[in-house]
Amino acid sequence: MDDYLKLVNIRKAYGEKVAVNNLSLSVPKGSIYGIIGPNGAGKTTTIRMIMDIIAPDAGDILINGGKVTGEFKNNVGYLPEERGLYKKMTLEEVIVFFAELKGFPKSRTLELIDGWLEKMSLSDYKKKKVEELSKGMQQKLQFITTVIHQPEMIILDELFSGLDPLNIELIKDILMEEKRNGITILFSTHVMEQAEKLCDFICLINKGQKVLDGKLADVKAKFGSNTLQVDMEGDGAFSREIPGVEDMIEFNNYIELKMTPDADTQEILRRLAEKVKIRRFEIMEPSLYEIFIKVARIDPRELIEEQAGHV
Amino acid sequence: MSKLWVIIKREYAQVVKKKSFLIGIILTPAFMAMVIILPAMLATKKPDTVENIAIIDTDGQGIGERFAEGIKAYKLDDSSPAYNVTEILNLNPDDSVAADRARKRLDSLILAKSLKSYLIIDNGIESNDSCFMVAKSFGLQTSRRFDKVISRILSEMRLEKSEINLGTDSVMTLTRRIVFEQQAPGGKERDFLTTYFAGLIFIMIIFVTVVTYGQVLMRSVIEEKNSRIVEVMVSSVSPFQLMGGKIIGLGLASLTQVGIWVALGAIIYVFKGNINIAPAISDTVFNPVFIIYFICFMLLGYLMYSTIFALIGAIVNNEKEAQNFIFPVTMLNILPILMGSYIIQEPESTLVTVLSLIPFLTPTMMILRLNIMGPETFSFVNPIIFEATLGVILTFLATLGIIWVTGRIFRVGILMYGKRPTLPEILRWITYK
């Protein structure tokens, strides 16, 4: 598979602070690629450099093997982390304006606009002003402005932030459809559960540096099936002490137990059942989240706080 | 180029489609007319009701009676007398108690509004040349009239007592005042007020375009920054295109506004051909040399100041922060208006010449000077033409410099949210890659 986008040793520093350090990655044509990492990892800086909004201090960004040109700017759809649109313009005006900025002819936009509004259930608002829309609707509208000009590549920074679960499903479906049309999709997120469901390829970054990258399936296979996810009532803190449990990560509604290779799953479950009421359990592949913690060697509590604050 | 055009179109439409644009077109000239004409009109307005006045005369030569007779000449619109003398109190100059009592009584009448004012003619008025009136408020016109009547009575009295063997009337005729007119070279009528107002109108046009549209531009930058639209924008166009599109789009909107004013003025002029335009104004309006410089300075002034406003928009986070920066910029534009009367009197003084060559002040100051000097041909021997042209060049160079610096700062500033940057930080942005 050819690479649509390639970053070679890019680096960006703001004064003393190095935001992105020696980052290289390859995004194959027609794939869904996730840049994943906690807040402050350098995701937005990386994406802004790809979009030519800021210039890297060092390194190369290659599109189809060549330098970024004005044409690339027209062939990419970009949804930044912080969303916003002109409040006083109508939906139609906003969509036409942003498409025209991408050099997409107005007549083509007008042909496509109804289909997109329909898909996003915004048809009734075509002639209404943006300020009349709810936050969620504005997000969907901005998504339309990102993709309506039929770009070759879509770049979405913190794709899921501010979207309700229903809209997340809607956007996912659309992204899958775009992928089938051969469009390359790159997105960043700190919500690893979501990334896992969507990505073909991932790149985990932390503190401006790549931790791990590759095909999602390969990454998962490499880290084996050694995780027990238990959905339960009660305090599961004691499970850390059960023999065969190497580590425990507590989430809001469930815990994940990392087991040693020789652990007896039945025994662990029995010990758990003695103290808490188990509603569901599953032996599963390690989550991206777990892999991330393991590879980045960071304190999981840091990440949990991070996620609790942002999900 | 086509992307620049997309931005220009949007910025233009956003302003022109607003109701406030239409309101501004109508209200701004109305407001300007009000500020300039109304105070003058009110000050010279004839009182529309008769004023009751009283006179305390301690001089004992019948000046009070002669004054009462003299002001009968002033009439209201319906030709009834403008003043009604309710009483003349002839008091003994040594009886200060009676004088005090009379003043207290008249004061209370003034407070009760049954009396508008009273005049005090003191003993020895002839030699000490002073006289005063008491009132709650002083009309410019009434004081002028009283002054005139009293002065005339005193002149007559002095004449009567003097040894000059001439009839009072003939002396008054001999000493009558002349009509003193001011003219510009070439025999054109000029007077201070119309020259000042003519200049003011042109400065106001520049001021309104620069400050109003500059602030519209600034707000538009702040809006895009706050809503983060700017990030999508600069992923599609260069920051320089974004800034340029905004400046040109809003500039066209302001030109539309000025254009409509000019067209309206022309229509009024054509259809009411007999309208009386003060020569100082018509000389200026129909002077091609002046108009060419005016257009140059208006465009340059707009370009320079709107770029500065774009810069302010790029470094602040909200309009409140912006206020601190707007004030000095507005002051630079108001300075020529504040200095107006001095500039008109001394348009060629060193101070005015030097100030008018400082690019920030050039557009307004030079316009005022050109308006006064009224050059009619492009002769560089004429110092004002030389200086105005130098002003155009200096302002143009300064504007290029400001655009360059702003362009460098703009592209970094629009992506900086949150903390307001310090000056050293802003200066560092200029050198960013």
Side-chain angles (χ1 to χ4, degrees):
Chain A
M1 219 185 297
D2 293 340
D3 288 336
Y4 185 79
L5 170 74
K6 209 171 163 71
L7 306 188
V8 186
N9 292 329
I10 56 165
R11 178 192 159 87
K12 179 78 189 176
Y14 295 106
E16 295 285 288
K17 195 176 167 280
V18 181
V20 174
N21 196 4
N22 252 343
L23 182 68
S24 299
L25 55 85
S26 304
V27 181
K29 203 173 216 148
S31 67
I32 300 186
Y33 195 102
I35 297 181
I36 299 155
N39 286 11
K43 302 187 297 286
T44 297
T45 306
T46 305
I47 286 180
R48 282 181 175 177
M49 284 189 280
I50 298 171
M51 290 311 303
D52 195 27
I53 295 171
I54 49 179
D57 298 334
D60 288 312
I61 296 169
L62 304 170
I63 305 293
N64 280 328
K67 292 269 174 207
V68 175
T69 57
E71 206 191 316
F72 169 68
K73 286 195 166 193
N74 283 348
N75 279 328
V76 66
Y78 170 51
L79 183 72
E81 176 177 6
E82 305 268 4
R83 320 273 153 83
L85 292 162
Y86 295 106
K87 301 251 180 295
K88 300 283 176 196
M89 290 170 88
T90 66
L91 270 64
E92 190 179 19
E93 285 170 342
V94 162
I95 294 171
V96 168
F97 172 71
F98 282 110
E100 275 190 302
L101 271 191
K102 293 292 188 184
F104 197 65
K106 188 176 174 180
S107 56
R108 295 277 292 125
T109 309
L110 292 176
E111 280 168 29
L112 296 169
I113 194 169
D114 288 328
W116 275 107
L117 288 172
E118 179 74 44
K119 219 182 257 185
M120 294 289 183
S121 10
L122 289 171
S123 298
D124 297 345
Y125 295 91
K126 190 176 172 184
K127 305 278 181 192
K128 295 254 165 66
K129 285 189 176 166
V130 173
E131 61 191 352
E132 291 173 49
L133 300 186
S134 71
K135 262 246 152 75
M137 288 169 161
Q138 291 190 20
Q139 297 257 18
K140 289 196 282 183
L141 171 62
Q142 187 153 14
F143 186 80
I144 298 179
T145 65
T146 310
V147 295
I148 197 162
H149 59 286
Q150 302 182 325
E152 288 175 7
M153 181 174 200
I154 304 172
I155 295 181
L156 313 129
D157 196 4
E158 288 298 343
L159 169 60
F160 304 109
S161 80
L163 286 174
D164 62 46
L166 231 68
N167 286 332
I168 289 181
E169 289 310 312
L170 179 65
I171 302 280
K172 266 189 203 161
D173 289 347
I174 293 170
L175 289 178
M176 295 307 285
E177 198 183 311
E178 295 289 313
K179 185 200 157 181
R180 278 193 292 278
N181 294 335
I183 288 162
T184 312
I185 297 162
L186 173 83
F187 72 92
S188 80
T189 184
H190 63 265
V191 190
M192 299 185 196
E193 294 90 326
Q194 298 289 359
E196 238 169 309
K197 295 179 196 162
L198 202 56
C199 292
D200 302 322
F201 292 85
I202 54 158
C203 173
L204 299 178
I205 66 171
N206 188 41
K207 294 182 178 147
Q209 269 171 318
K210 181 162 79 182
V211 173
L212 173 77
D213 69 343
K215 216 170 175 153
L216 182 67
D218 296 348
V219 169
K220 287 218 160 181
K222 194 172 145 197
F223 285 86
S225 317
N226 60 349
T227 301
L228 181 63
Q229 199 183 66
V230 186
D231 194 348
M232 57 173 205
E233 277 169 31
D235 185 5
F238 71 92
S239 56
R240 218 183 290 269
E241 316 301 330
I242 301 173
V245 173
E246 201 175 79
D247 197 8
M248 188 273 285
I249 304 165
E250 222 172 342
F251 291 88
N252 272 343
N253 302 315
Y254 60 92
I255 56 172
E256 273 185 16
L257 300 179
K258 179 110 200 313
M259 297 178 293
T260 53
D262 56 346
D264 178 352
T265 319
Q266 296 306 316
E267 175 63 15
I268 293 173
L269 274 176
R270 202 183 53 75
R271 294 279 297 268
L272 271 175
E274 280 170 9
K275 298 215 174 148
V276 297
K277 190 176 165 196
I278 297 174
R279 277 199 297 256
R280 183 183 65 85
F281 67 91
E282 189 182 347
I283 300 169
M284 55 187 292
E285 290 180 315
S287 64
L288 261 186
Y289 184 62
E290 232 184 327
I291 295 173
F292 185 82
I293 289 167
K294 183 177 168 148
V295 182
R297 281 192 215 90
I298 52 173
D299 184 353
R301 264 157 302 212
E302 237 175 75
L303 270 179
I304 289 172
E305 273 159 28
E306 195 74 64
Q307 298 228 331
H310 288 92
V311 170
Chain B
M1 203 59 207
S2 69
K3 288 188 179 184
L4 184 68
W5 180 241
V6 175
I7 296 172
I8 293 172
K9 259 193 332 195
R10 197 199 80 88
E11 295 291 334
Y12 182 81
Q14 285 305 297
V15 171
V16 176
K17 271 200 286 183
K18 268 195 206 152
K19 279 189 208 83
S20 57
F21 182 72
L22 197 64
I23 295 170
I25 284 185
I26 297 162
L27 281 191
T28 312
F31 177 74
M32 271 159 65
M34 211 174 74
V35 168
I36 294 171
I37 298 167
L38 211 61
M41 263 175 62
L42 285 178
T44 56
K45 192 174 158 285
K46 281 186 191 170
D48 44 8
T49 51
V50 61
E51 286 184 14
N52 288 328
I53 60 168
I55 301 160
I56 298 176
D57 185 352
T58 58
D59 188 55
Q61 295 186 76
I63 297 177
E65 282 78 8
R66 289 173 78 163
F67 178 79
E69 193 59 35
I71 57 169
K72 273 184 191 161
Y74 298 111
K75 306 283 189 196
L76 294 177
D77 284 343
D78 59 0
S79 68
S80 60
Y83 302 97
N84 171 34
V85 180
T86 54
E87 51 190 319
I88 303 172
L89 300 162
N90 286 304
L91 302 177
N92 183 337
D94 301 326
D95 188 355
S96 60
V97 180
D100 276 354
R101 205 184 312 124
R103 284 193 63 170
K104 278 197 181 119
R105 186 172 60 81
L106 294 176
D107 282 348
S108 65
L109 285 176
I110 286 179
L111 291 175
K113 289 185 181 164
S114 60
L115 196 66
K116 178 77 182 168
S117 60
Y118 63 90
L119 205 66
I120 299 179
I121 298 163
D122 276 329
N123 190 22
I125 182 172
E126 264 180 282
S127 48
N128 59 24
D129 288 336
S130 76
C131 168
F132 62 97
M133 85 186 259
V134 179
K136 258 205 304 200
S137 60
F138 298 90
L140 189 60
Q141 195 181 32
T142 297
S143 351
R144 269 196 209 139
R145 285 170 173 179
F146 286 8
D147 175 357
K148 209 166 156 187
V149 172
I150 291 270
S151 300
R152 191 185 158 92
I153 292 169
L154 291 177
S155 305
E156 284 171 2
M157 283 172 58
R158 293 191 192 104
L159 271 171
E160 282 157 16
K161 289 180 186 166
S162 72
E163 303 296 316
I164 299 167
N165 193 12
L166 270 173
T168 311
D169 283 349
S170 46
V171 171
M172 293 313 284
T173 314
L174 289 174
T175 58
R176 70 181 177 272
R177 302 192 61 169
I178 55 152
V179 178
F180 190 78
E181 268 183 53
Q182 291 150 311
Q183 287 192 344
K188 293 193 165 137
E189 269 181 58
R190 271 290 152 93
D191 69 86
F192 178 82
L193 275 185
T194 40
T195 306
Y196 181 61
F197 286 139
L200 217 55
I201 288 171
F202 287 99
I203 288 189
M204 285 296 265
I205 291 177
I206 291 184
F207 180 75
V208 168
T209 8
V210 165
V211 175
T212 320
Y213 283 90
Q215 290 195 49
V216 172
L217 175 69
M218 187 195 73
R219 259 183 244 118
S220 148
V221 173
I222 294 175
E223 186 209 345
E224 284 182 11
K225 209 177 143 173
N226 279 340
S227 64
R228 314 295 200 248
I229 296 170
V230 74
E231 205 163 320
V232 182
M233 300 294 289
V234 294
S235 72
S236 307
V237 301
S238 73
F240 205 71
Q241 275 176 316
L242 175 61
M243 190 177 89
K246 282 179 171 302
I247 291 175
I248 298 171
L250 292 173
L252 290 177
S254 80
L255 278 183
T256 307
Q257 188 167 31
V258 174
I260 290 173
W261 288 339
V262 170
L264 284 178
I267 289 170
I268 292 171
Y269 183 76
V270 168
F271 285 94
K272 294 206 78 181
N274 57 349
I275 201 165
N276 199 1
I277 299 179
I281 296 175
S282 62
D283 282 356
T284 312
V285 173
F286 298 114
N287 178 352
V289 176
F290 177 81
I291 292 299
I292 286 169
Y293 279 113
F294 175 70
I295 292 171
C296 283
F297 284 125
M298 194 176 83
L299 294 180
L300 280 174
Y302 171 75
L303 203 56
M304 179 168 61
Y305 277 102
S306 58
T307 310
I308 294 174
F309 277 112
L311 176 66
I312 298 174
I315 58 180
V316 300
N317 289 302
N318 50 51
E319 286 189 40
K320 218 172 140 195
E321 275 181 28
Q323 289 307 323
N324 305 329
F325 294 97
I326 293 173
F327 178 71
V329 176
T330 312
M331 275 315 287
L332 285 176
N333 275 282
I334 291 180
L335 191 66
I337 300 176
L338 297 180
M339 284 187 67
S341 57
Y342 176 71
I343 298 172
I344 287 174
Q345 289 168 55
E346 299 286 344
E348 287 173 293
S349 71
T350 316
L351 176 68
V352 171
T353 308
V354 169
L355 283 180
S356 70
L357 285 173
I358 297 173
F360 295 109
L361 300 172
T362 302
T364 40
M365 282 245 189
M366 217 42 114
I367 281 303
L368 204 50
R369 292 184 64 206
L370 280 164
N371 174 49
I372 301 155
M373 322 271 282
E376 288 183 338
T377 50
F378 282 103
S379 157
F380 286 96
V381 188
N382 188 344
I384 186 65
I385 293 287
F386 174 75
E387 284 160 22
T389 310
L390 183 64
V392 171
I393 294 167
L394 289 179
T395 313
F396 180 72
L397 292 177
T399 305
L400 284 186
I402 291 168
I403 290 176
W404 184 80
V405 169
T406 301
R408 309 282 302 170
I409 294 175
F410 189 81
R411 85 217 140 100
V412 185
I414 47 175
L415 293 171
M416 294 285 171
Y417 317 124
K419 180 172 91 63
R420 194 167 102 195
T422 60
L423 188 63
E425 276 176 314
I426 293 171
L427 293 178
R428 214 175 314 128
W429 293 352
I430 298 176
T431 61
Y432 271 13
K433 193 173 154 191

